Amino acid sequence: MRIRSAYLQNSLLLLLLLGLGLAPSVDAGGWSFPDDDPSRLHLQDVFQIERASSPQLSPDGESLVYIRNSFDLMEDRRRGALWLIDDLDGVGEHRPLFSTPDGASDGSPLFSPDGGKVLFTRSDQNGTQLMLFDRRTEVTTRLTQLTESPRSMAFSRDGEWLALTMFEPEASPALVDLPKAPEGASWAPPPIVVDDVVYRADGAGYLEDGHTQLFVLPTEGGTPRQLTRGAFEVNGTPEWSADGGSILFTSNRNEGWRFDPLESEIYRIDVKTGEIEALTSRKGPDAEPTISPDGRTLAYTGLDDRLQGYQISRLSVRSLDGGEARVLAADLDRDLSSPVWAPDGSGLYFSYSDEGNGKVGFVPIDGGAVEVVARDVGGTSLGRPYASGSFSVGGDRVAYTMTRPDHPADVATVQRGEPGANVLTRLNKDLFGHKELGALEEMWVESSHDGRRIQSWIVKPPGFDPAKKYPLVLEIHGGPFADYGDRFAAEVQLFAAAGYVVLYVNPRGSSSYGEEFGNLIHHAYPSYDYDDLMSSVDGLLAKGYVDEDQLFVTGGSGGGVLTSWIVGHTDRFRAAVVAKPVINWTSFVFTADNGPFFWKYWFPGLPWEAPENYFERSPLSYAGNVKTPTMLLTGDEDYRTPISESEQFYQALKLQGVDATMVRVPGASHGIARRPSQLMAKVAYILAWFEKYRP
């Protein structure tokens, strides 16, 4: 297809034709993805990929419900259906829990405390409602008629009540009283008044006035009763006390909370009286409260905020009635999350990422050594190999989403202290059973800057021959505080299927290597992460099968920052695709969707207080050095790294004669490849740009 510097006109039609292996006549002379080898992954195969998510064990650990995610070819959307695996001891029947209506998507499954019912959400064109499936009668009941979508739910321990969070709209006082239009008149829409420091969010657009509040609802259904009020947000999943008399939740209820975005405390609210008390008080976030099976001990995650770019959350426990908190797993220098009590109260399970691999750990309540219970957790991030996934606990089992480089998330279970995992699903056996995917190899190199060991992965094309020379794609992750790993990634596999060796790296600043490694880019991003990336490329070139005259580079978000930084510092790459970048840190802080966070944790001051720091770290400051042909690729509705960032770099390159093209994706937010057709388009445009500059 012809690369255009304007909007993707008629994009859905073009993508559908591309997905079917057809080319519209207007683009007959353009590049198209190679689809002559049926054993390789093709663009249209994206619609066939399935993923498991949210595996939920019954309380006795004998049954499991999970979301089976697929794509609707005609609607270009994800669809979720709930599937049941019964009798895990005998690996019993694997079947849909019920039939999901056409056009609907089911999610957020949750077993009742007795295991007899499954709560879930059902979304369709009319909104999202809470539903309850009775396993004994196999009857599904709609519990609510909500005008806003429920966000997080929890059963009381007796199974009689639900706690949930939900957005509660609030009408703001009118600034002016305008005359009303006559009946039948067509006046312009009235102005929209913005007076909050955070007024839009990526993926949500401009925010409606209101706040997320806590509600309770009988499990028989009805109208939710609102418990919290005021101009504060309730975050995360609520937690019931053992006697059902109170609920714990996370919030920042301090004055000026909008300007302190990381701060939060754990609060307890009396269900009858609405009285609220704070259970934590340190400077920094405390979140994810969970109460022990005996109802006496509180576990939660949090940290002492030092205003660093990367800070790891610790796991703490204390008496629910007060007293000093005690940190568990203190020697594990990793970011811990999602604590879950063992049913017997002997300790806590939690998730973390370690050197690019997702894990579930267990720590005894007495503070003993951490035990690794499960590895290879992830696979719910389809496009690129980011950390993701979830787990649950039931009886003596742990269920989790498991991924390897050759498949996205399947469902697996493991029992603590026993070797090996039991993989219960093979959702993509029908697709990948006759496909050859790119093989993955791990690589470590020493950074040319300071000798630190840097981890990366190489994905080789199907049919790889080490005697040949291949073109290289360096693919850089975003974040920047995130990690890639040995996980399935559709975009990476499609690059490999097109004949490229793909290298992806976790440079300094990446998570899963400890707090000190992550903060090597604190107030210094980008900087020596550039050296880590170049050292990894050199390490791969030393293997002898990559053509050093055919090097290409791309990355999204933080990876877009580093890609634009790279082309301002070296000419070794023949072409680059900069996806959804930050080009000018000053304009970014003023236009991104969470300015109060970005300036406070990523810079030594506001832009007018540290202008040199902002400009020296902006890829725009090196635009005059760029000679590499560069494509900009960004969603029109990206409010995290607004498209104005891409426009600045595009215009700068054009003004100095660099071959540059800008691709704007209509309707796309920061998750530019969230819809299947968008993922196909992203890969196709990147490869077309690279193919244009291959010798």
Side-chain angles (χ1 to χ4, degrees):
M1 291 185 294
R2 184 177 301 127
I3 307 299
R4 303 181 186 273
S5 59
Y7 279 76
L8 304 181
Q9 297 179 7
N10 301 318
S11 60
L12 290 180
L13 175 60
L14 290 174
L15 293 170
L16 180 58
L17 291 170
L18 177 63
L20 295 175
L22 303 174
S25 58
V26 294
D27 289 326
W31 179 87
S32 62
F33 192 90
D35 61 358
D36 56 340
D37 186 350
S39 69
R40 294 198 178 196
L41 196 65
H42 301 148
L43 287 178
Q44 63 267 30
D45 292 330
V46 168
F47 274 100
Q48 298 184 50
I49 296 175
E50 295 186 81
R51 292 164 294 161
S53 64
S54 301
Q56 297 295 310
L57 282 165
S58 59
D60 60 8
E62 297 299 317
S63 302
L64 181 146
V65 171
Y66 72 96
I67 306 173
R68 186 166 180 165
N69 300 278
S70 59
F71 292 119
D72 186 321
L73 177 64
M74 302 309 294
E75 295 293 330
D76 191 26
R77 299 284 185 183
R78 183 195 70 84
R79 298 296 185 204
L82 300 188
W83 281 60
L84 171 71
I85 304 176
D86 221 340
D87 184 18
L88 293 180
D89 285 324
V91 189
E93 187 179 13
H94 181 201
R95 61 178 176 83
L97 193 62
F98 42 73
S99 178
T100 301
D102 290 341
S105 184
D106 294 335
S108 304
L110 187 65
F111 275 100
S112 62
D114 65 358
K117 298 177 181 179
V118 178
L119 178 73
F120 65 98
T121 59
R122 173 162 292 167
S123 302
D124 57 24
Q125 69 274 14
N126 297 315
T128 302
Q129 303 298 333
L130 289 178
M131 314 289 289
L132 195 65
F133 175 77
D134 191 313
R135 297 179 65 194
R136 292 174 287 267
T137 63
E138 297 199 345
V139 171
T140 299
T141 304
R142 186 167 114 172
L143 298 182
T144 59
Q145 287 187 299
L146 304 175
T147 57
E148 301 289 339
S149 298
R151 297 185 176 178
S152 299
M153 296 84 69
F155 276 101
S156 62
R157 294 197 180 187
D158 61 7
E160 298 296 320
W161 288 87
L162 294 170
L164 63 143
T165 61
M166 188 167 57
F167 180 76
E168 177 68 9
E170 299 173 7
S172 297
L175 191 61
V176 296
D177 188 9
L178 292 172
K180 297 185 183 299
E183 186 176 352
S186 297
W187 288 16
I192 298 173
V193 178
V194 174
D195 62 1
D196 203 336
V197 66
V198 176
Y199 58 91
R200 61 183 183 178
D202 186 70
Y206 284 81
L207 300 175
E208 183 183 359
D209 291 334
H211 299 87
T212 300
Q213 304 288 5
L214 179 66
F215 296 78
V216 291
L217 173 73
T219 51
E220 289 87 358
T223 301
R225 178 168 68 93
Q226 185 174 342
L227 291 186
T228 60
R229 287 176 169 79
F232 306 105
E233 300 288 334
V234 174
N235 304 311
T237 302
E239 172 80 353
W240 287 87
S241 64
D243 63 4
S246 60
I247 299 172
L248 274 58
F249 65 93
T250 303
S251 182
N252 183 350
R253 303 179 74 82
N254 300 314
E255 185 177 354
W257 62 272
R258 276 293 201 193
F259 297 90
D260 204 0
L262 207 60
E263 177 68 18
S264 66
E265 307 296 349
I266 296 171
Y267 294 88
R268 176 166 51 194
I269 184 169
D270 188 286
V271 175
K272 289 185 178 180
T273 67
E275 182 180 350
I276 297 175
E277 63 173 320
L279 300 183
T280 59
S281 60
R282 67 174 158 184
K283 178 63 178 176
D286 288 312
E288 300 185 296
T290 179
I291 299 174
S292 60
D294 64 8
R296 298 167 56 187
T297 305
L298 170 66
Y300 57 99
T301 58
L303 58 90
D304 294 301
D305 190 4
R306 290 163 286 161
L307 301 182
Q308 291 180 328
Y310 182 64
Q311 303 177 99
I312 63 172
S313 288
R314 299 290 190 181
L315 176 60
S316 299
V317 293
R318 46 155 275 196
S319 170
L320 191 58
D321 294 330
E324 290 294 320
R326 189 162 49 91
V327 176
L328 302 181
D331 295 333
L332 182 59
D333 185 23
R334 297 293 183 266
D335 192 37
L336 310 186
S337 64
S338 308
V340 177
W341 283 95
D344 61 3
S346 61
L348 288 133
Y349 296 89
F350 56 89
S351 63
Y352 65 105
S353 191
D354 179 35
E355 295 185 349
N357 189 268
K359 295 180 178 179
V360 175
F362 177 84
V363 61
I365 189 63
D366 61 10
V370 171
E371 175 186 348
V372 178
V373 178
R375 293 175 169 83
D376 305 324
V377 180
T380 58
S381 176
L382 180 62
R384 295 187 283 164
Y386 280 117
S388 63
S390 62
F391 76 96
S392 68
V393 177
D396 59 357
R397 282 192 175 90
V398 173
Y400 62 101
T401 50
M402 178 186 183
T403 185
R404 296 302 300 139
D406 61 349
H407 67 87
D410 276 301
V411 177
T413 60
V414 67
Q415 292 176 274
R416 186 163 63 91
E418 296 187 7
N422 183 18
V423 183
L424 302 178
T425 64
R426 302 284 184 184
L427 299 184
N428 293 282
K429 186 177 181 180
D430 56 338
L431 174 60
F432 295 152
H434 62 281
K435 299 282 187 182
E436 181 183 359
L437 298 179
L440 181 141
E441 174 187 340
E442 183 184 34
M443 181 177 73
W444 290 81
V445 302
E446 292 186 357
S447 173
S448 62
H449 172 62
D450 56 9
R452 288 181 183 270
R453 295 182 73 237
I454 304 299
Q455 188 180 22
S456 62
W457 290 267
I458 305 160
V459 179
K460 303 169 185 175
F464 174 76
D465 182 351
K468 293 182 178 180
K469 293 283 189 177
Y470 293 88
L472 169 71
V473 173
L474 171 63
E475 211 287 336
I476 308 172
H477 75 64
F481 306 110
D483 68 81
Y484 276 169
D486 52 348
R487 308 162 180 130
F488 177 82
E491 293 179 33
V492 170
Q493 287 294 339
L494 286 167
F495 292 151
Y500 289 79
V501 169
V502 184
L503 173 66
Y504 57 87
V505 186
N506 281 343
R508 68 191 61 213
S510 299
S511 55
S512 80
Y513 301 91
E515 191 166 82
E516 189 262 349
F517 186 86
N519 273 304
L520 290 173
I521 63 169
H522 179 59
H523 292 177
Y525 167 69
S527 58
Y528 301 121
D529 36 5
Y530 166 84
D531 301 273
D532 301 343
L533 293 166
M534 295 305 101
S535 297
S536 299
V537 171
D538 293 338
L540 177 52
L541 288 174
K543 294 180 179 291
Y545 52 78
V546 168
D547 184 350
E548 63 181 353
D549 292 327
Q550 295 195 66
L551 306 183
F552 302 91
V553 59
T554 187
S557 192
V561 174
L562 282 167
T563 302
S564 54
W565 185 266
I566 284 170
V567 296
H569 286 75
T570 181
D571 300 335
R572 72 188 302 188
F573 295 93
R574 295 192 69 90
V577 177
V578 177
K580 50 187 181 182
V582 175
I583 298 300
N584 180 341
W585 287 112
T586 297
S587 58
F588 166 74
V589 163
F590 293 141
T591 58
D593 59 354
N594 198 356
F597 174 84
F598 293 123
W599 84 262
K600 193 170 188 176
Y601 289 91
W602 289 10
F603 294 93
L606 287 159
W608 53 85
E609 296 171 338
E612 298 84 3
N613 184 279
Y614 278 78
F615 191 66
E616 289 172 359
R617 292 164 54 187
S618 294
L620 185 64
S621 66
Y622 295 94
N625 299 337
V626 178
K627 298 180 177 63
T628 307
T630 300
M631 172 185 281
L632 284 300
L633 179 64
T634 305
D636 258 349
E637 297 180 11
D638 188 333
Y639 296 135
R640 180 61 44 81
T641 55
I643 198 166
S644 57
E645 294 296 310
S646 295
E647 290 169 336
Q648 291 180 65
F649 203 54
Y650 171 74
Q651 197 64 244
L653 298 184
K654 281 294 188 183
L655 289 176
Q656 62 175 14
V658 176
D659 191 1
T661 289
M662 180 166 57
V663 178
R664 305 167 67 106
V665 184
S669 62
H670 195 61
I672 195 172
R674 186 165 296 157
R675 300 176 69 175
S677 68
Q678 292 171 337
L679 190 152
M680 293 193 305
K682 178 185 177 185
V683 171
Y685 273 91
I686 290 172
L687 289 175
W689 188 250
F690 293 165
E691 288 294 317
K692 179 179 177 181
Y693 293 99
R694 285 188 64 183

